[in-house]
């Protein structure tokens, strides 16, 4: 993570495309995005072609305020578990279990 260009350049993080995106997969994508993003980043879909049907669902987790990054970069808090603190939440991704966690400050 040290010296990663992701922290210094614009990033488009694309959702994992599945036929029926599950809530868990969305949370994994969101957690990874919040872990790796720098100051200029977008989360969404790539070019989908020209058609009149919008096939994507909005997720209420996109309406939440995670605040601003407290940590400049993510840290590995134990083997395979990565964390980044935000002013209003803490984001973790356990790569051993492939499970995200977003905990809002009280």
């Amino acid at each position: 993570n040290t010296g990663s260009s992701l922290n210094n350049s614009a990033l488009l993080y694309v959702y994992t495309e599945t036929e029926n995106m599950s809530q868990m997969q969305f949370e994994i994508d969101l957690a990874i995005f919040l872990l790796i993003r720098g100051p200029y980043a977008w989360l969404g879909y790539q070019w989908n072609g020209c058609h009149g049907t919008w096939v994507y669902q909005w997720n209420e987790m996109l309406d939440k305020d995670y605040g601003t990054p407290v940590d400049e970069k993510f840290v590995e808090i134990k083997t395979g578990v990565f964390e980044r603190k935000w002013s209003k939440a803490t984001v973790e991704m356990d790569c051993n279990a492939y499970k995200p966690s977003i905990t809002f400050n009280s």
Side-chain angles (χ1 to χ4, degrees):
N1 189 31
T2 304
S4 171
S5 64
L6 292 176
N7 294 95
N8 300 315
S9 60
L11 168 72
L12 168 59
Y13 189 85
V14 179
Y15 294 119
T16 302
E17 293 190 39
T18 60
E19 185 148 330
N20 293 316
M21 184 179 217
S22 69
Q23 180 65 23
M24 178 60 75
Q25 185 58 57
F26 177 84
E27 291 178 21
I28 290 167
D29 287 346
L30 179 60
I32 293 171
F33 173 76
L34 291 170
L35 284 170
I36 68 171
R37 66 162 293 171
Y40 306 103
W42 297 266
L43 174 65
Y45 297 98
Q46 296 184 42
W47 174 250
N48 191 14
C50 297
H51 55 79
T53 305
W54 181 254
V55 294
Y56 305 112
Q57 301 294 319
W58 185 258
N59 191 294
E60 66 183 25
M61 291 185 76
L62 294 172
D63 295 325
K64 296 186 183 288
D65 184 0
Y66 302 93
T68 57
V70 173
D71 298 330
E72 184 179 341
K73 300 175 182 177
F74 65 82
V75 293
E76 187 170 13
I77 58 172
K78 57 185 172 184
T79 303
V81 180
F82 301 90
E83 178 184 88
R84 187 175 188 190
K85 293 187 186 312
W86 289 71
S87 59
K88 297 183 180 183
T90 299
V91 178
E92 286 186 13
M93 181 63 193
D94 181 342
C95 292
N96 304 307
Y98 209 62
K99 185 175 179 186
S101 170
I102 300 175
T103 307
F104 285 90
N105 303 340
S106 48

